[in-house]
Amino acid sequence: MAEKTESKMDKIVSLCKRRGFVFQGSEIYGGLRGTWDFGPLGVLLNNNIKREWWKMFVLDREDMYGLDAAILMNEKVWEASGHTGAGFADPIVECEKCNHRFRADHLENKEVCPDCGGKLGEQKDFNLMFATKVGAEGNVQSYLRPETAQGIFVNFKNVVDSMSPKLPFGIAQTGKAFRNEIAPREFLFRVREFEQMEIEYFVKEGEWEVEFEKLLLDIRAWHARLGLSADNIREYEVPANDLAHYSKRTIDFEYNYPGKGYDELAGFAYRTDHDLKSHQVASGVSMEYIEPDGSRFIPHVLEPSFGVGRALLAVLSEAYTEDEMNGEVRTYLKLPTYLAPYRAAVSPLLKNKPELVAKAREVFAMLKKEFGNVAFDDNSNVGKRYRRQDEIGTPHCVTIDFETLGEENPDLKDTVTVRDRDTGEQTRVKIEDLVNYMMQG
Ligand code: GAP
């Protein structure tokens, strides 16, 4: 059983490379561990995930504000947030013989090197932030942000002063985060450079439980929107004795990754007023919110935090399907229509017939104008095109044939064949009805 699911992940990794979703970072130089590059289709899928997230959590709501803060921040931010200290360090041990380093909390035997059998040295703390110097003199210490969240906290006052939001309200941000993970592993799961989608939702202290329950439903709705089945998601309620000292409740959303089993996909934490209070103390700037009646207090915060890479991995794992069609095994990505890299592929039946190509180009231009992400595919024969488009999850393949030109049956003039990815069924649709037809599925 374990072998079967493991091989599914191998197939996904290989499909990602072969079809232009994800490449190893700096591949031609032997790679750089913990980095991955998104290829043409990976960018489309990633952007679709982020667009849907932004739409659901920001555009469709009245109580959310967007932000795009700088990656480089004043080092005092990270001192106030606790990231420069032991709170953001992993325990590390180094082999005295081969010098390989391991996370001590991942080892059963902390004395012996799992790689060469050598003696492991003393356990030390290893801070996960990438340090860098800013300016020509290189004397200003900074860090590549390890989470987008702090950019939100330090702008809390700016957003309140410029937008006058009423509590409860949230500030949302997507963007890169960097962590010098000791053991990057499992494809996109644990990497050193990744993207987050985070919300800090500010509430009155007495209302945190009610708002927590509401956001919980929103997070569940988000995972359903990604097409993830509820059976593959587990909500892990972090026990009180494992909670960070400032958190009163945390839920980890775990996905059942193939070959790996349940592991974190996203997190949801009630962080009290810890973060704003810490920044108020460290910066000397008031983080108080002033109610219309003049009462002042530091709001409490609920934090839903998502990783784009882990969402993409879960989406691909859920969508990857093998079945049998026309007596052959075929692979397809059963992606929700709004996530598919290409909404449709348009092809002339034969690419050496100028009249078919011209009509196909016309239909392609029409669909591209409407949907944007539409492919023109005149490579190889129809059967191979279908298989290729199935493998990248294109919901509809539109073929322009001689019937479209009205050469065989005048009644079929200006109709095209639309093939459905999941069923392989082909339907004759009038070109004028094509946009509507595609919008329905
Ligand atoms: N602001 C809270 C925060 O950053 P986190 O649990 O450390 O919380 C949130 O990270 C999410 O970011 C995780 O649930 C995961 O999806 C993603 N993430 C964190 N570290 C990651 C890594 N090294 N590689 C890929 N994704 C990561």
Side-chain angles (χ1 to χ4, degrees):
M1 182 68 194
E3 207 173 290
K4 199 170 167 219
T5 44
E6 230 172 68
S7 70
K8 179 175 170 184
M9 185 51 93
D10 289 344
K11 287 176 188 175
I12 292 171
V13 175
S14 128
L15 186 151
C16 279
K17 157 117 206 214
R18 195 173 64 252
R19 310 297 297 140
F21 283 86
V22 184
F23 308 126
Q24 190 189 1
S26 318
E27 188 180 3
I28 62 168
Y29 290 104
L32 178 67
R33 275 193 79 204
T35 67
W36 295 90
D37 297 341
F38 291 95
L41 297 190
V43 173
L44 289 168
L45 179 52
N46 244 349
N47 285 347
N48 288 347
I49 290 173
K50 287 185 282 180
R51 186 204 55 232
E52 288 299 314
W53 186 87
W54 195 259
K55 182 171 177 337
M56 181 180 263
F57 285 107
V58 183
L59 299 182
D60 287 354
R61 303 176 61 128
E62 280 182 48
D63 56 346
M64 293 279 192
Y65 299 83
L67 183 78
D68 190 1
I71 287 175
L72 295 174
M73 300 172 86
N74 190 307
E75 73 172 311
K76 290 182 183 147
V77 171
W78 306 110
E79 284 163 13
S81 67
H83 283 84
T84 49
F88 200 63
D90 280 342
I92 193 173
V93 280
E94 186 170 331
C95 173
E96 291 176 356
K97 196 166 151 200
C98 70
N99 297 113
H100 286 177
R101 293 171 149 204
F102 307 92
R103 261 181 74 163
D105 55 337
H106 287 174
L107 293 177
E108 272 181 32
N109 183 345
K110 295 182 180 49
E111 310 282 317
V112 181
C113 173
D115 285 354
C116 75
K119 186 173 177 309
L120 292 175
E122 215 176 285
Q123 183 174 314
K124 293 183 186 141
D125 278 343
F126 176 76
N127 194 284
L128 298 183
M129 280 202 294
F130 283 100
T132 188
K133 300 281 185 190
V134 177
E137 284 81 39
N139 54 3
V140 178
Q141 180 67 55
S142 190
Y143 301 90
L144 301 186
R145 69 181 175 201
E147 60 171 16
T148 58
Q150 296 305 321
I152 298 179
F153 292 124
V154 302
N155 278 291
F156 169 75
K157 203 70 194 142
N158 284 332
V159 174
V160 168
D161 291 347
S162 57
M163 306 304 291
S164 310
K166 303 274 171 296
L167 285 176
F169 73 92
I171 304 178
Q173 167 160 239
T174 66
K176 287 267 173 134
F178 305 81
R179 295 183 191 178
N180 199 2
E181 299 283 358
I182 297 162
R185 62 192 162 94
E186 286 146 334
F187 193 34
L188 301 173
F189 184 80
R190 190 171 302 288
V191 293
R192 291 183 168 140
E193 176 177 342
F194 56 100
E195 248 183 310
Q196 289 186 315
M197 307 182 283
E198 294 200 294
I199 294 166
E200 303 303 331
Y201 197 74
F202 300 99
V203 300
K204 291 181 188 163
E205 181 177 3
E207 292 174 3
W208 82 264
E209 275 156 312
V210 175
E211 297 303 332
F212 192 98
E213 294 305 322
K214 286 195 210 158
L215 277 176
L216 193 53
L217 297 182
D218 297 334
I219 296 171
R220 288 182 189 143
W222 164 244
H223 289 143
R225 183 78 183 153
L226 285 180
L228 308 180
S229 98
D231 291 345
N232 278 330
I233 296 184
R234 203 164 68 177
E235 292 177 17
Y236 174 69
E237 182 88 43
V238 177
N241 57 348
D242 266 355
L243 289 172
H245 65 277
Y246 48 78
S247 177
K248 293 245 174 82
R249 190 176 178 195
T250 296
I251 294 177
D252 285 344
F253 289 80
E254 299 181 331
Y255 184 76
N256 188 13
Y257 297 97
K260 174 172 174 58
Y262 286 96
D263 212 330
E264 188 178 323
L265 168 66
F268 181 32
Y270 166 45
R271 298 176 62 101
T272 64
D273 56 356
H274 169 79
D275 306 271
L276 288 182
K277 220 182 215 168
S278 305
H279 286 302
Q280 174 170 290
V281 170
S283 68
V285 174
S286 168
M287 295 290 157
E288 284 180 333
Y289 180 89
I290 306 170
E291 288 279 39
D293 66 6
S295 55
R296 315 163 75 99
F297 55 90
I298 296 182
H300 281 227
V301 73
L302 304 171
E303 181 191 67
S305 177
F306 307 86
V308 179
R310 287 193 195 175
L312 186 131
L313 194 54
V315 164
L316 288 175
S317 303
E318 189 87 28
Y320 184 93
T321 313
E322 284 175 0
D323 68 357
E324 210 186 285
M325 193 172 270
N326 307 324
E328 278 181 35
V329 176
R330 72 149 181 163
T331 300
Y332 71 108
L333 293 183
K334 202 172 178 174
L335 292 168
T337 309
Y338 44 85
L339 293 185
Y342 292 130
R343 188 69 184 64
V346 181
S347 312
L349 182 67
L350 301 169
K351 73 171 177 187
N352 56 0
K353 294 281 175 214
E355 59 279 34
L356 288 180
V357 174
K359 196 74 189 167
R361 285 263 162 216
E362 237 178 70
V363 173
F364 170 66
M366 177 187 85
L367 293 181
K368 200 155 179 60
K369 192 166 168 222
E370 187 65 36
F371 298 107
N373 53 339
V374 176
F376 188 83
D377 188 357
D378 62 358
N379 293 310
S380 55
N381 63 37
V382 179
K384 282 191 184 154
R385 276 176 215 159
Y386 287 164
R387 269 198 296 281
R388 205 170 40 243
Q389 295 297 336
D390 283 350
E391 229 190 359
I392 62 174
T394 308
H396 291 122
C397 284
V398 177
T399 304
I400 282 69
D401 53 23
F402 292 105
E403 284 175 335
T404 313
L405 306 177
E407 284 183 6
E408 289 168 18
N409 176 355
D411 290 346
L412 293 180
K413 189 168 174 355
D414 287 329
T415 63
V416 292
T417 302
V418 182
R419 176 195 177 263
D420 181 87
R421 174 195 66 200
D422 300 348
T423 62
E425 268 171 34
Q426 303 193 14
T427 313
R428 208 74 213 172
V429 180
K430 281 188 186 161
I431 292 173
E432 64 188 33
D433 296 337
L434 199 49
V435 168
N436 271 346
Y437 179 88
M438 279 177 46
M439 277 180 167
Q440 281 157 29

